[in-house]
Amino acid sequence: MEKAMFEKIKETIDSLPIDSISEERKQVLDPLVSYIQRKISDGRSIALNFICTHNSRRSHLSQIWAQTLAHYVGLKNVSCYSGGTEATALFPMVAKTLKTNGFQVAMLSDSDNPVYSIKYAPNNHPIIGFSKTFDHSFNPKTDFGAIMTCSSADKGCPFVGGSDGRFPITFEDPKAFDATPQQEEKYMERSLQIATELLYVMQGVVMA
């Protein structure tokens, strides 16, 4: 079931505490499991667009972990994206956190909105990370699941055009700890929470 990937990432995934997810939180995650299962049953490809206000932190972490975990459990035809209600830049601490988790992260262009290559496995295409709006041309236009990763985007986008499923799976913003001694710890905490919950989703799909 598990596919080749960088060893440190695999070790991180193997240590994720799925049993710590509350029943209340599982009720939030289960509709996404069902959505992916329906796509598979219909023989359709799966596109997931993780949406937050600025596409700088939580939406990127969610996109990258979702793509990685789909590979980990052996799900095929899964493409993960991210976007915001506005574009800013991928926050540098996100890149640093992903490196600590074992990803190979390289900056491809240095600008106000840099483009990153993010690799989770030696033989797979890298994930291309940069900040953009959810309806940017880089992202799918139709037949995708819209996962709202922050409450402000969830409230600000009651309808996401082109999506065939909308899922409010929100996370606390680690931005609250920027420029504090807890910054690095809190970004890692959020990264691992997102990874744990998305592992629950992906394993739920393949075990059904």
Side-chain angles (χ1 to χ4, degrees), residues 1-163:
M1 182 173 74
E2 298 163 12
K3 304 296 183 180
M5 60 174 45
F6 296 129
E7 187 60 31
K8 189 170 182 181
I9 299 176
K10 184 178 182 301
E11 289 173 359
T12 298
I13 295 171
D14 288 342
S15 69
L16 293 173
I18 283 187
D19 291 344
S20 69
I21 300 174
S22 69
E23 290 302 317
E24 181 181 17
R25 190 64 175 171
K26 287 177 182 177
Q27 290 176 14
V28 173
L29 299 168
D30 284 342
L32 181 57
V33 176
S34 298
Y35 170 82
I36 298 172
Q37 287 171 339
R38 286 196 303 273
K39 289 276 189 174
I40 293 171
S41 296
D42 293 341
R44 299 166 66 191
S45 59
I46 300 148
L48 305 175
N49 193 356
F50 294 88
I51 300 169
C52 200
T53 303
H54 299 117
N55 191 212
S56 58
R57 294 171 176 82
R58 289 164 287 179
S59 49
H60 273 110
L61 289 170
S62 299
Q63 173 197 3
I64 291 157
W65 275 118
Q67 192 71 66
T68 302
L69 290 162
H71 174 78
Y72 175 82
V73 302
L75 272 181
K76 297 180 179 179
N77 301 319
V78 177
S79 298
C80 299
Y81 305 85
S82 67
T85 54
E86 60 184 277
T88 54
L90 191 153
F91 193 64
M93 183 55 69
V94 171
K96 182 177 180 181
T97 301
L98 290 168
K99 286 182 180 179
T100 303
N101 287 141
F103 292 86
Q104 289 186 359
V105 182
M107 186 182 289
L108 302 180
S109 72
D110 189 2
S111 65
D112 290 340
N113 184 7
V115 178
Y116 292 86
S117 162
I118 303 155
K119 290 201 73 169
Y120 56 86
N123 298 323
N124 290 70
H125 288 297
I127 298 163
I128 301 301
F130 65 98
S131 186
K132 57 205 162 301
T133 56
F134 66 83
D135 56 356
H136 188 279
S137 59
F138 195 82
N139 289 341
K141 294 299 180 187
T142 60
D143 303 320
F144 63 90
I147 299 95
M148 318 307 289
T149 63
C150 73
S151 56
S152 59
D154 183 31
K155 293 173 184 174
C157 292
F159 172 75
V160 179
S163 66

Side-chain angles (χ1 to χ4, degrees), residues 175-190:
K175 180 181 179 179
F177 296 90
D178 287 355
T180 73
Q182 293 83 33
Q183 182 185 38
E184 196 165 328
E185 172 192 350
K186 292 299 181 179
Y187 273 76
M188 180 59 69
E189 180 181 297
R190 192 62 59 243

